[in-house]
């Protein structure tokens, strides 16, 4: 058998994505290139690795065993590369971070200089909702997580980064003199929510409960980008994190509608399990974060002050 590391990497991704298209997107390859490498790998086995049922790709039981073996092989290769860099006096390793979805507007700025300086460090960043972020931390699948509300059931250490403020937002087509009363905003107009498990949704529902607002019409969407586009189109209104609508406010595609009791303010924090034995790469990143966070905030997020009362 003469399968290559590249083929194993592609097949491992296929086993996780269950899709040629998604695998190609994730690995920045063309779909034909992924299909060819899968065929070349399959040609070396008499037992099918995958099967297509109703135009949907499935990985066979044998294929999953090969994927598990591929995972171990790739991890061993990574370990060899990290050790080589370490012996050369360079920081190496892998940092895994899980980020609450709105945090995708924040976390890259606190990573870019560090990653550019330490070429031997690999980064894996998963962007998802709060529930899944905390689940990955609870299972010790990541080194760090970025959250706006500290978990109550996990013992964690944390580094505070910056404020996360949520405002009531409408589309540009709404004239401010036409804005109804505050109660009518929440009881008569269609409100757009994030999905269950989202920290933004939790904050929004807590605000409604606190003021005893009974929502008449609710729309649920599964990403901050989807909510933003829906509000822009005039489909409804929402309470949204300021950090995610900078460009839309600048281009006057969205507008903040003043509401008593808003903004809701929380704090973005990088957290890690108190019992976590951090790798040298993770420890070095924490030191970098503590020393440079104020500079990063001033360089990239000073515009937020324009909206703070």
């Amino acid at each position: 058998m003469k399968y290559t590391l590249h083929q194993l990497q592609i097949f491992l991704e296929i086993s996780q994505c269950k899709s040629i298209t998604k695998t190609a997107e994730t690995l920045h390859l063309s779909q034909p290139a992924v299909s060819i490498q899968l065929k070349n790998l399959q040609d070396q086995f008499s037992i099918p690795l995958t099967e297509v049922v109703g135009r949907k790709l499935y990985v066979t039981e044998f294929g999953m065993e090969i994927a598990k073996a591929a995972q171990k092989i790739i991890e061993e290769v990574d370990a060899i590369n990290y050790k080589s860099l370490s012996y050369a006096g360079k920081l190496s390793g892998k940092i895994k971070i899980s980020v609450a979805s709105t945090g995708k507007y924040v976390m890259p700025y606190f990573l870019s200089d560090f990653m550019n300086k330490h070429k031997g460090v690999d980064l894996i960043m998963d962007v998802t909702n709060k529930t899944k972020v905390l689940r990955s931390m609870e299972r010790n699948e990541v080194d760090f997580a970025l959250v706006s509300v500290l978990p109550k059931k996990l013992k964690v250490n944390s580094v505070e980064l910056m404020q996360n403020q949520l405002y009531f937002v409408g589309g540009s087509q709404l004239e401010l003199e036409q804005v109804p009363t505050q109660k009518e905003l929440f009881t008569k107009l269609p409100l757009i929510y994030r999905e269950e498990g989202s920290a933004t949704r939790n904050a929004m529902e807590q605000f409604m409960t606190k003021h005893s607002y009974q929502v008449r019409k609710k729309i649920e969407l599964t990403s901050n980008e989807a909510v933003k586009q829906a509000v822009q189109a005039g489909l409804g209104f929402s309470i949204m994190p300021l950090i995610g609508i900078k460009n839309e406010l600048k281009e006057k595609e969205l507008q903040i509608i003043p509401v008593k009791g808003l903004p809701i303010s929380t704090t973005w924090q990088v957290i890690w399990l108190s019992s976590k034995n951090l790798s040298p790469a993770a420890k070095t990143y924490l030191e970098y974060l503590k020393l440079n966070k104020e500079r990063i905030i001033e360089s990239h997020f000073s515009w937020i002050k324009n909206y703070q009362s």
Side-chain angles (χ1 to χ4, degrees):
M1 290 187 179
K2 296 182 180 180
Y3 44 79
T4 66
L5 181 63
H6 185 51
Q7 289 169 355
L8 293 178
Q9 289 171 327
I10 289 175
F11 183 66
L12 179 59
E13 193 63 39
I14 290 172
S15 73
Q16 295 168 347
C17 293
K18 307 293 192 298
S19 165
I20 298 295
T21 301
K22 290 181 180 178
T23 297
E25 291 173 354
T26 301
L27 298 179
H28 305 290
L29 298 170
S30 67
Q31 291 185 39
V34 171
S35 296
I36 289 169
Q37 292 303 322
L38 175 59
K39 181 181 183 302
N40 290 342
L41 181 64
Q42 177 62 77
D43 287 345
Q44 299 179 69
F45 300 99
S46 59
I47 305 172
L49 297 170
T50 62
E51 57 185 356
V52 177
V53 180
R55 300 183 66 182
K56 187 172 182 180
L57 181 72
Y58 293 88
V59 179
T60 65
E61 184 178 351
F62 174 71
M64 290 308 298
E65 290 300 317
I66 297 301
K68 289 177 185 177
Q71 176 78 58
K72 293 178 181 178
I73 291 168
I74 292 167
E75 287 175 353
E76 287 297 323
V77 171
D78 287 343
I80 291 171
N81 293 335
Y82 296 146
K83 287 176 182 177
S84 298
L85 289 168
S86 178
Y87 272 88
K90 297 179 181 179
L91 183 68
S92 62
K94 187 178 292 184
I95 295 177
K96 296 182 180 180
I97 302 177
S98 188
V99 176
S101 55
T102 309
K104 68 185 177 186
Y105 303 110
V106 176
M107 200 65 212
Y109 294 98
F110 291 92
L111 284 162
S112 59
D113 286 349
F114 177 84
M115 295 302 299
N116 288 331
K117 180 180 179 181
H118 300 289
K119 303 294 186 181
V121 176
D122 292 333
L123 171 67
I124 298 176
M125 187 169 78
D126 179 39
V127 180
T128 183
N129 66 34
K130 176 191 172 185
T131 299
K132 293 179 180 178
V133 167
L134 295 182
R135 187 181 303 145
S136 65
M137 173 141 288
E138 186 176 9
R139 294 174 177 174
N140 196 30
E141 295 172 346
V142 295
D143 299 301
F144 303 110
L146 180 69
V147 296
S148 58
V149 179
L150 288 176
K152 295 179 180 179
K153 297 182 180 180
L154 292 176
K155 292 183 179 180
V156 298
N157 297 324
S158 65
V159 173
E160 290 189 0
L161 296 186
M162 55 185 282
Q163 274 197 324
N164 177 41
Q165 295 188 314
L166 292 86
Y167 289 83
F168 192 80
V169 178
S172 58
Q173 67 276 12
L174 178 71
E175 298 292 336
L176 283 179
E177 58 267 21
Q178 299 174 345
V179 173
T181 66
Q182 179 160 326
K183 185 174 182 179
E184 288 174 335
L185 280 175
F186 293 98
T187 58
K188 292 189 176 181
L189 299 179
L191 295 181
I192 303 174
Y193 284 70
R194 284 285 307 280
E195 77 284 4
E196 292 281 356
S198 161
T200 300
R201 175 173 179 141
N202 291 343
M204 192 170 175
E205 290 181 332
Q206 288 169 12
F207 181 82
M208 303 296 183
T209 301
K210 181 179 178 180
H211 292 85
S212 302
Y213 293 141
Q214 297 296 317
V215 178
R216 181 183 67 84
K217 186 175 182 180
K218 181 190 295 185
I219 300 169
E220 182 177 306
L221 300 175
T222 57
S223 75
N224 196 66
E225 289 299 317
V227 172
K228 185 162 56 176
Q229 293 298 321
V231 174
Q232 273 185 247
L235 191 59
F237 301 79
S238 191
I239 293 178
M240 300 188 69
L242 178 64
I243 194 70
I245 56 175
K246 174 186 176 181
N247 293 333
E248 288 74 19
L249 291 173
K250 182 179 179 180
E251 299 298 325
K252 301 188 184 303
E253 296 169 344
L254 293 175
Q255 61 179 316
I256 292 173
I257 300 171
V259 169
K260 185 178 180 180
L262 294 178
I264 301 168
S265 291
T266 57
T267 302
W268 286 114
Q269 300 184 64
V270 171
I271 64 172
W272 65 99
L273 291 174
S274 300
S275 57
K276 179 76 173 177
N277 184 19
L278 294 173
S279 68
K283 289 179 181 177
T284 303
Y285 176 65
L286 272 183
E287 293 170 6
Y288 163 84
L289 199 59
K290 293 172 183 177
L291 288 172
N292 292 278
K293 64 176 185 175
E294 297 299 334
R295 174 185 61 81
I296 295 168
I297 292 169
E298 184 60 32
S299 296
H300 298 287
F301 301 103
S302 58
W303 62 270
I304 290 175
K305 297 175 184 175
N306 298 330
Y307 295 92
Q308 294 175 334
S309 55

